Amino acid sequence: MTSKDRRILIFGSLIAGILLVAGAFWLSPGRADPFAVCRKGTVSGDFGGLGGSFELTDQNGQRVSDGQVLAEPALLYFGYTYCPDVCPLDNARNAETVSILDQQGIAVRPVFISVDPGRDTPEVLKGFAQAMHPRMIGLTGTPDEIAKVAKSWRSYYMVNDQDDPENYLVDHTTSTYLIIPAAGTVEIFGRDIPAQEVADRSACFVTVAAEFDRSGKTP
């Protein structure tokens, strides 16, 4: 065997070893997406860094924690009650989604966190939540508390027209986050997705998570 042949053999063995290691790494059970079957298309979700602990005030004026609010599957939306059209439509879609899931025996709670704590008092949130869905939880807090929780979900918002203390608008992210206990944030739904599709996909995530729970594993 010539020196050139030996170099080719060594190089080929090295490449094969790298490919084997890489394949084992990416195909190991720990790397697999347990919810891949629920996702639309082939792109896997990577939402592990989203979310965090919080303590806010609900529509009844009670201080509540993330452990209480997100104790069951939830559809979380950041917005504000003075929003002229986007927030009412998005939350109505989420409420319809929850009603569809209720008919299937799947409990998912709609959660609304206000990014306008200056105007969205518990009393204001109570009227908004009751108009949307009887199980909706509306949350507010201090400006710092809202900024912290929005940042943890990478949810953008910015107050405009601050010279008008009553009629200003707030730019904000319009995504809805599907959160499942133990698994965290598992999907993000855009506002253009109809309620039936959100319900169908949410049902898949909840079902898969339940299977993991019955097996004693964590998704």
Side-chain angles (χ1 to χ4, degrees):
M1 179 181 295
T2 65
S3 59
K4 181 179 180 180
D5 290 336
R6 282 196 294 272
R7 286 197 300 271
I8 293 174
L9 180 61
I10 292 172
F11 181 75
S13 299
L14 179 61
I15 293 298
I18 292 174
L19 290 174
L20 285 172
V21 172
F25 177 76
W26 287 108
L27 296 177
S28 63
R31 296 290 303 183
D33 179 5
F35 298 107
V37 67
C38 303
R39 304 195 189 282
K40 187 175 182 179
T42 59
V43 179
S44 296
D46 184 15
F47 311 119
L50 292 179
S53 60
F54 62 77
E55 185 173 306
L56 297 171
T57 303
D58 69 11
Q59 70 264 41
N60 297 311
Q62 301 297 314
R63 294 293 284 179
V64 294
S65 68
D66 56 292
Q68 295 170 294
V69 175
L70 305 177
E72 61 181 315
L75 288 172
L76 170 64
Y77 185 89
F78 291 87
Y80 67 114
T81 64
Y82 282 73
C83 184
D85 48 20
V86 173
C87 298
L89 291 175
D90 291 353
N91 281 277
R93 188 280 307 269
N94 289 350
E96 182 182 354
T97 296
V98 171
S99 295
I100 293 172
L101 291 168
D102 283 343
Q103 295 174 4
Q104 301 174 21
I106 298 174
V108 174
R109 182 184 294 278
V111 178
F112 176 77
I113 296 181
S114 173
V115 294
D116 183 18
R119 290 180 297 190
D120 283 339
T121 63
E123 293 77 16
V124 171
L125 283 177
K126 188 169 188 176
F128 183 86
Q130 288 178 341
M132 289 295 169
H133 194 279
R135 291 209 315 280
M136 176 175 281
I137 293 179
L139 299 171
T140 188
T142 67
D144 286 344
E145 289 171 340
I146 296 302
K148 179 182 177 181
V149 70
K151 183 178 180 180
S152 71
W153 265 278
R154 301 173 199 163
S155 184
Y156 163 84
Y157 69 96
M158 182 179 70
V159 177
N160 293 314
D161 306 323
Q162 298 185 53
D163 292 335
D164 187 339
E166 295 182 359
N167 301 307
Y168 60 85
L169 300 177
V170 183
D171 294 336
H172 63 92
T173 301
T174 59
S175 300
T176 293
Y177 305 84
L178 175 61
I179 303 167
I180 295 179
T185 302
V186 296
E187 186 62 290
I188 300 175
F189 297 111
R191 66 184 311 265
D192 58 332
I193 303 176
Q196 186 63 60
E197 182 178 340
V198 177
D200 291 342
R201 290 166 61 184
S202 296
C204 180
F205 281 100
V206 173
T207 300
V208 170
E211 289 298 326
F212 271 90
D213 187 56
R214 280 192 286 270
S215 67
K217 299 179 181 178
T218 301

